[in-house]
Amino acid sequence: MPTISTPSKIAGTKSHGANVVFSGSTSDEREAVTADIIKKTGATLVPPYDHPDIILGAGTQALELEQQVEDMLAADPSLGVPGKKRLDAVIAPIGGGGMLSGICTALHGTGIKVFGAEPNFEGSNDAELGLKQGRRIEKVKTLTIADGLRTPVGEIPWSIITDKEKLEGVYSVSEEQITAAMRLAMERAKVFIEPSAAVGLAVVLYNEEFRRFVEGEGKEEGWNIGIVLSGGNTTMEAMAKLFQAPAKAMERAEGKVTVNGEHVAENVPG
Amino acid sequence: MPTISTPSKIAGTKSHGANVVFSGSTSDEREAVTADIIKKTGATLVPPYDHPDIILGAGTQALELEQQVEDMLAADPSLGVPGKKRLDAVIAPIGGGGMLSGICTALHGTGIKVFGAEPNFEGSNDAELGLKQGRRIEKVKTLTIADGLRTPVGEIPWSIITDKEKLEGVYSVSEEQITAAMRLAMERAKVFIEPSAAVGLAVVLYNEEFRRFVEGEGKEEGWNIGIVLSGGNTTMEAMAKLFQAPAKAMERAEGKVTVNGEHVAENVPG
């Protein structure tokens, strides 16, 4: 792990029984330390996203989600769009793209549409921009609060998400939209998530282009959309930093901050 | 609602369709406004805890918990203590005592032991102290962070929790133990809870008297304990205030803050 990792993340990793070895924070430094460990111990490298096994493994969550929604709607149809017995779409975060391309692979041929969600601060929407430009963006330098999504899309994930039969599209959101979605997930749904996890919810709530697309496709009845919230690897101190700025926080709490013209504090579904 | 209620709580209440009427924050002021509304509209008062219907309603959660744990252990026995097919005990917060006395009533005669959990800052452990002194404490003045538990135990709940066949005991925890339990619930279990919700978990983790009692009763094999986390009515700003104090937060993150002699940041179960 990079030496700059948050202490609670290091402690959490150790508590699972891991032997943590430290490195510098650049990819060169990390890869050098990794190569050294492999050389010394014969360890096997488990890459974070750019490998078929990782992609297929991450994709199994889509099979679970698909089944759980079918079971849930069979037990209580009122939980979904009237008359529909399954998901119409799934939206998930895209950083390196291992998880999203796995979901694309798992749901290919089911008729369930797959979307990616990204932050757009300082060009962190490399997947969205890359798809528009028709080429993979290989370098991203951003300090978006969605720190799990600062990575450019990997080569194998790129080869999957560029297949229009597998991915419908990628939409992006601002830092403020991500924060507003985090607030909703935590204060109302009581789910503790990191900023990277909130991008899908933020797209569904605040991205006008996405919302128009769904209105066009779903018509009056609407869609059942599965939103992947991945993950929750953050600390209370990081949360405090995001939500403490006194003036801004007070305005937000008083409903004066707007996102796409809507008052955030009052824009909470019942 | 008192005019000093947090704006997001007011907005959240309104979003459920409520007509919110404001009052001062003392109980006299609140009761005067309530009496006025009842006089004008013929509305029915729903008391927060000191009424048999409220107590019985709150108690149904214990029946759900009992059943859900039995179903869960039938499906996967490895989730519980080896060889046990049900709960040994339930621990829940006690403020006015409506919820806890409901749980006591629901589980009476099942053999499942019921415990109460309280903050002890500035005498907020009125149930624990009252049980020791053999009389109900009628006034409590405390600013514990567990703001849902600042109320003294009501008369009807008191008549239930003083029955030794129904309640095993009440244990209390410090502000720092509550905060440490909140951190664990959020950072590791990913459940967003308010301070009042964390007292049961804090007792289980940090109250040495309770832990010795469970060791004595549960012997080597231990107990299956159900912990009620109620509720999550707080804001990100309130969380930020709790976890932002820079010096303290940094020490905590670095594992220098101890609770009962254990390093908090490193004391996270895998």
Side-chain angles (χ1 to χ4, degrees):
Chain A
M1 298 176 84
T3 45
I4 58 162
S5 304
T6 54
S8 70
K9 196 167 188 172
I10 297 168
T13 306
K14 285 182 178 170
S15 77
H16 286 288
N19 174 26
V20 177
V21 180
F22 294 98
S23 74
S25 60
T26 68
S27 45
D28 283 349
E29 288 169 304
R30 283 185 280 126
E31 282 164 21
V33 171
T34 307
D36 192 47
I37 295 170
I38 290 172
K39 200 174 159 190
K40 279 184 189 154
T41 65
T44 300
L45 178 70
V46 180
Y49 52 85
D50 209 359
H51 190 286
D53 293 349
I54 299 301
I55 291 169
L56 291 171
T60 61
Q61 72 183 266
L63 304 178
E64 287 181 59
L65 179 59
E66 184 187 11
Q67 187 62 52
Q68 285 171 11
V69 171
E70 279 181 31
D71 293 349
M72 188 184 82
L73 293 178
D76 185 354
S78 75
L79 293 173
V81 165
K84 291 197 174 179
K85 294 178 178 172
R86 59 201 288 265
L87 284 171
D88 295 288
V90 169
I91 187 165
I94 176 164
M99 182 172 77
L100 183 65
S101 60
I103 292 171
C104 286
T105 305
L107 296 180
H108 183 215
T110 62
I112 299 173
K113 288 182 167 57
V114 180
F115 297 87
E118 266 183 329
N120 56 27
F121 183 66
E122 296 180 337
S124 49
N125 53 334
D126 63 289
E128 184 182 35
L129 296 174
L131 287 171
K132 274 180 189 154
Q133 295 165 16
R135 60 172 188 86
R136 185 172 77 91
I137 292 174
E138 293 176 27
K139 292 214 168 157
V140 176
K141 197 176 173 183
T142 169
L143 286 174
T144 171
I145 54 170
D147 54 5
L149 308 177
R150 292 177 185 168
T151 325
V153 180
E155 288 183 36
I156 302 173
W158 179 255
S159 72
I160 295 168
I161 67 163
T162 46
D163 181 341
K164 287 186 178 159
E165 279 193 8
K166 292 180 181 162
L167 182 77
E168 194 69 29
V170 173
Y171 295 86
S172 68
V173 281
S174 69
E175 302 293 281
E176 188 155 57
Q177 290 169 333
I178 292 171
T179 312
M182 287 181 76
R183 174 189 296 278
L184 181 67
M186 291 198 260
E187 292 187 356
R188 303 304 298 277
K190 317 301 177 195
V191 183
F192 186 78
I193 56 174
E194 66 183 79
S196 302
V199 292
L201 180 59
V203 165
V204 169
L205 291 172
Y206 306 123
N207 185 296
E208 289 301 328
E209 197 189 341
F210 177 80
R211 294 174 66 94
R212 273 194 302 274
F213 182 84
V214 175
E215 277 172 25
E217 296 269 321
K219 306 274 188 290
E220 280 301 303
E221 61 183 343
W223 267 8
N224 290 323
I225 305 181
I227 303 172
V228 175
L229 306 173
S230 171
N233 293 311
T234 186
T235 62
M236 297 313 294
E237 284 71 29
M239 291 297 98
K241 209 174 155 192
L242 264 183
F243 289 94
Q244 78 187 347
K248 194 170 165 190
M250 283 312 295
E251 282 182 13
R252 190 186 285 280
E254 288 162 10
K256 288 179 192 156
V257 171
T258 58
V259 173
N260 287 346
E262 296 178 349
H263 289 290
V264 174
E266 294 175 359
N267 183 30
V268 277
Chain B
M1 299 177 84
T3 45
I4 58 161
S5 303
T6 54
S8 71
K9 196 168 188 171
I10 297 168
T13 306
K14 285 183 179 171
S15 78
H16 285 289
N19 173 25
V20 176
V21 181
F22 294 99
S23 75
S25 60
T26 68
S27 45
D28 284 348
E29 289 169 302
R30 281 185 282 126
E31 282 164 21
V33 171
T34 306
D36 193 46
I37 294 171
I38 290 173
K39 201 176 159 190
K40 280 184 189 152
T41 64
T44 302
L45 178 71
V46 181
Y49 51 84
D50 208 359
H51 190 286
D53 293 349
I54 299 300
I55 291 169
L56 292 171
T60 61
Q61 72 184 266
L63 305 178
E64 288 181 59
L65 178 59
E66 184 187 11
Q67 188 61 52
Q68 284 170 12
V69 171
E70 280 181 31
D71 293 348
M72 187 183 82
L73 293 177
D76 185 354
S78 74
L79 293 172
V81 165
K84 291 197 173 178
K85 293 177 179 175
R86 59 200 289 266
L87 284 170
D88 294 289
V90 169
I91 186 164
I94 176 164
M99 182 171 78
L100 183 65
S101 60
I103 293 171
C104 286
T105 305
L107 296 180
H108 182 216
T110 62
I112 299 172
K113 288 183 166 59
V114 180
F115 298 88
E118 268 183 327
N120 57 26
F121 183 66
E122 296 179 336
S124 49
N125 53 334
D126 62 289
E128 184 182 35
L129 296 174
L131 288 171
K132 274 180 189 155
Q133 296 165 17
R135 60 170 188 88
R136 185 172 77 93
I137 292 174
E138 293 175 28
K139 293 217 168 156
V140 177
K141 197 176 174 183
T142 170
L143 286 176
T144 171
I145 53 169
D147 54 6
L149 308 177
R150 291 177 185 169
T151 325
V153 180
E155 287 184 36
I156 303 172
W158 179 255
S159 73
I160 296 168
I161 67 163
T162 45
D163 181 342
K164 285 186 180 160
E165 279 192 9
K166 293 180 181 161
L167 183 78
E168 194 68 29
V170 173
Y171 296 86
S172 68
V173 280
S174 69
E175 303 292 281
E176 187 154 56
Q177 290 169 334
I178 293 171
T179 311
M182 287 180 76
R183 175 189 296 279
L184 182 67
M186 292 199 260
E187 291 186 357
R188 303 303 298 276
K190 316 303 175 193
V191 183
F192 187 79
I193 57 173
E194 66 184 79
S196 303
V199 293
L201 180 59
V203 166
V204 169
L205 289 173
Y206 306 121
N207 185 297
E208 288 302 327
E209 196 189 341
F210 177 80
R211 294 174 66 94
R212 273 194 302 273
F213 183 84
V214 175
E215 276 173 24
E217 296 269 321
K219 306 277 188 287
E220 280 301 302
E221 61 183 345
W223 266 8
N224 290 324
I225 306 181
I227 303 172
V228 176
L229 306 173
S230 171
N233 293 311
T234 186
T235 62
M236 297 311 295
E237 283 71 31
M239 290 298 96
K241 209 172 155 192
L242 265 182
F243 288 94
Q244 80 186 346
K248 193 170 167 192
M250 283 313 296
E251 281 183 14
R252 188 185 286 280
E254 286 162 12
K256 288 178 190 157
V257 170
T258 59
V259 172
N260 288 346
E262 295 178 350
H263 289 290
V264 174
E266 294 173 357
N267 184 31
V268 276

